Amino acid sequence: MTPLLELSFATTQLGQQYFGPFNVQVHPGERIAILGPSGAGKSTLLKLMARELHPQAGQVEFAGRPLAQWPLAELALRRAVLPQGSNVAFGLQCALVIGLGRVARLLDPQLEQIVQDAAAQAHATHLLGRRLDTLSGGEQARVQLARIFAQMWDVQNGLILVDEPLAALDPGLQFDLLDSLQQFCAARGHAVIAILHDINHALLGFERLLLVRSGQLVADIASDAGAVPALGALYGIALTTATNSDGDVCVIPARSTVRRAA
């Protein structure tokens, strides 16, 4: 099967630091978390996947075509990106912000209904009549996620890239939106790649982990109990495992005596 997204020896440079080479294949329906210390290169890797950065060497392909060759309007029908701290259309009403996810479509007779449904999926229905700049950080995060849902609502086997989508949310809402993202992608066969800082969210909500340190992809592993030693080494911390009532593996971090740099 042709990968939905493929990075082949993709390398870039920011200032004096080199990132890569990255070799990654992503197939429809996969749920992948990118983890690593602050400054390790997680966002750089995601930007290469999103075409916000172009590889100085190597190749990035989407659906079997070089990513750089995709017209942006056509790409927007297959791939959605939610960057960290997005401030799109800051003073607009939330319904209009969510509707911006649909701008690549010349005809969109279901726009109003899709905006309503996407808001419900992101637990943001009660925010539709408000302006984005009157919302808290967590409320804005819900609206921006609803915009991504609207963009990919009637698409199959697409790609969603998100950078710390749960960072501004309380613990209960983190789990609610993680569940919503999983259900949304599973129903449509979308692959989702998310930068996360919470190890437990990665273990509970994703099936595959990309571990990044010092600009390098140091591991591409299954998200299960076997990943715990690699995660401890990645962050330079000790991790104790526990199993919840559903049989899911959770970790409890503790500071170790030796800390590694990113």
Side-chain angles (χ1 to χ4, degrees), residues 6 8 11 19 37-38 40 71 102 111 134 142 151 166 187 203 207 213 227 253 260:
E6 183 171 16
S8 302
T11 305
F19 297 87
S38 297
R102 310 286 300 174
L111 172 62
T134 68
R142 276 181 268 181
Q151 181 178 345
L166 309 176
L203 291 173
E207 60 191 2
R213 184 174 63 223
R260 291 187 177 90

Side-chain angles (χ1 to χ4, degrees), residues 136-150:
S136 69
E139 289 171 332
Q140 289 186 26
R142 276 181 268 181
V143 172
Q144 297 292 2
L145 186 59
R147 176 171 59 84
I148 298 303
F149 288 159

Side-chain angles (χ1 to χ4, degrees), residues 13-232:
Q13 181 181 2
L14 299 176
Q16 299 299 311
Q17 185 171 1
Y18 286 90
F19 297 87
F22 296 114
N23 291 288
V24 179
Q25 287 190 354
V26 179
H27 291 90
E30 285 198 283
R31 293 175 285 114
I32 301 173
I34 301 176
L35 296 170
S38 297
K42 301 183 298 296
S43 292
T44 299
L45 174 56
L46 198 76
K47 288 177 180 179
L48 283 169
M49 295 175 170
R51 209 173 86 171
E52 292 182 39
L53 289 174
H54 295 280
Q56 296 177 344
Q59 180 77 296
V60 181
E61 292 188 348
F62 180 68
R65 293 166 54 186
L67 185 58
Q69 294 181 8
W70 278 78
L72 288 177
E74 188 179 349
L75 188 60
L77 299 176
R78 297 282 308 276
R79 184 226 61 194
V81 181
L82 182 60
Q84 184 181 4
S86 177
N87 288 326
V88 175
F90 195 72
L92 293 181
Q93 279 199 337
C94 293
L96 295 176
V97 174
I98 297 170
L100 287 175
R102 310 286 300 174
V103 295
R105 293 160 174 81
L106 297 177
L107 296 175
D108 198 7
Q110 301 300 315
L111 172 62
E112 185 175 345
Q113 185 61 52
I114 288 174
V115 167
Q116 293 282 338
D117 292 342
Q121 185 91 35
H123 302 266
T125 300
H126 62 294
L127 303 173
L128 285 173
R130 295 179 58 183
R131 278 179 30 169
L132 193 67
D133 57 356
T134 68
L135 305 184
S136 69
E139 289 171 332
Q140 289 186 26
R142 276 181 268 181
V143 172
Q144 297 292 2
L145 186 59
R147 176 171 59 84
I148 298 303
F149 288 159
Q151 181 178 345
M152 304 296 286
W153 193 265
D154 46 4
V155 178
Q156 295 293 319
N157 298 332
L159 175 66
I160 295 178
L161 305 172
V162 291
D163 191 346
E164 298 186 38
L166 309 176
L169 306 175
D170 65 70
L173 193 56
Q174 286 179 345
F175 282 111
D176 287 342
L177 291 192
L178 191 59
D179 288 343
S180 291
L181 183 61
Q182 292 173 355
Q183 294 165 10
F184 179 82
C185 292
R188 295 161 176 81
H190 295 332
V192 57
I193 304 175
I195 292 176
L196 297 176
H197 281 298
D198 191 301
I199 297 173
N200 284 313
H201 283 146
L203 291 173
L204 292 171
F206 295 81
E207 60 191 2
R208 184 174 156 200
L209 307 177
L210 302 181
L211 308 187
V212 179
R213 184 174 63 223
S214 301
Q216 306 292 311
L217 180 62
V218 296
D220 180 349
I221 55 178
S223 179
D224 55 26
V228 173
L231 289 167

